[in-house]
Amino acid sequence: MKKLNLVLGAALLAAGLTSCKNDAEMTAERNVDNYESYVDSVQGLDDSEKMANWEAIEAKYQTRLAEAEATIESLKDKVNAQDRIDETKQEYVELKADVSEKAEEASTRNLFVSYFGDANAVGNDMKFAWVNKDNILSVYQKFVNTFEANHESYSRQDFDKIKAWYEALDARKNTVEKEGLSTEDNNKIAGLKLKFAPKFSWERMTAKGDENEAAKEAAE
């Protein structure tokens, strides 16, 4: 009877271990499947949805990846599972780069529109051919007003873009002056430039300093 009990006990223990192993394998397989499915689902979103919700997408992605990698050792075919994870990682890297590029393009376009109006209407090729002797004063005025109203929200990259646009506008002014720009408008523009230039230089320098300090703190 003792031998029979020992045999039955061993059988139950083995069955329990097998069950646990199967459960672990099933969990691991499910985690890898969920990881792949999640990336597929993100790829299927509209660009606007991706950009608007990227922080949440990234957080959930890291959770799914961690779950898949934490349980992969429970799989018999670990090599195949790792290949699936690596392939999906690469897909996500490419997806993230694409979203980042499109988000930057959208940010630049929105910033440009805030200074000059509809990019489709005025063009954004840095030549500013639409600026002429009749509207150049209003363009400068809008530029200065927009900066005054929004400079506290700008990143260092935003300041760099604004600087490039301002220099391009100044270059266009040199041409417009030869096309009959009135002395009155020219003097008013000079006043706006005198007001804008020192404040822009200060705010841009401050933004760069703040960003460098934040990067330093993050690295510590």
Side-chain angles (χ1 to χ4, degrees), residues 124-171:
N124 59 353
D125 60 0
M126 303 295 285
K127 294 180 181 179
F128 294 150
W130 55 275
V131 176
N132 55 53
K133 64 183 180 62
D134 298 317
N135 66 13
I136 190 169
L137 175 59
S138 65
V139 174
Y140 268 100
Q141 186 67 68
K142 179 175 174 57
F143 195 102
V144 173
N145 290 346
T146 301
F147 180 79
E148 288 283 351
N150 300 286
H151 66 81
E152 293 182 357
S153 66
Y154 293 149
S155 67
R156 181 180 61 81
Q157 291 80 5
D158 290 336
F159 277 99
D160 290 344
K161 294 169 189 172
I162 294 166
K163 180 176 183 291
W165 295 334
Y166 183 70
E167 290 173 349
L169 180 59
D170 274 352

Side-chain angles (χ1 to χ4, degrees), residues 42-129:
V42 174
Q43 289 175 323
L45 296 174
D46 292 337
D47 289 338
S48 58
E49 291 181 272
K50 295 173 190 173
M51 289 186 286
N53 302 288
W54 189 256
E55 287 188 9
I57 288 172
E58 174 72 12
K60 193 167 183 178
Y61 169 82
Q62 294 299 337
T63 298
R64 289 284 185 264
L65 174 60
E67 290 171 348
E69 291 184 328
T71 55
I72 194 174
E73 291 298 323
S74 300
L75 293 170
K76 291 179 180 179
D77 193 353
K78 290 184 291 186
V79 173
N80 179 60
Q82 187 63 60
D83 286 344
R84 289 168 60 193
I85 290 175
D86 291 342
E87 182 177 341
T88 305
K89 275 184 182 179
Q90 184 57 38
E91 290 178 5
Y92 185 79
V93 167
E94 294 172 2
L95 170 65
K96 186 174 182 178
D98 181 64
V99 171
S100 178
E101 180 180 351
K102 288 177 178 176
E104 176 62 20
E105 290 174 355
S107 175
T108 299
R109 179 182 176 83
N110 290 338
L111 187 63
F112 183 91
V113 168
S114 72
Y115 276 85
F116 301 108
D118 186 356
N120 291 327
V122 303
N124 59 353
D125 60 0
M126 303 295 285
K127 294 180 181 179
F128 294 150

Side-chain angles (χ1 to χ4, degrees), residues 12-28 74:
L12 290 172
L13 178 60
L17 291 174
T18 300
S19 176
C20 290
K21 184 177 181 181
N22 287 341
D23 287 345
E25 284 185 333
M26 290 174 63
T27 298
S74 300

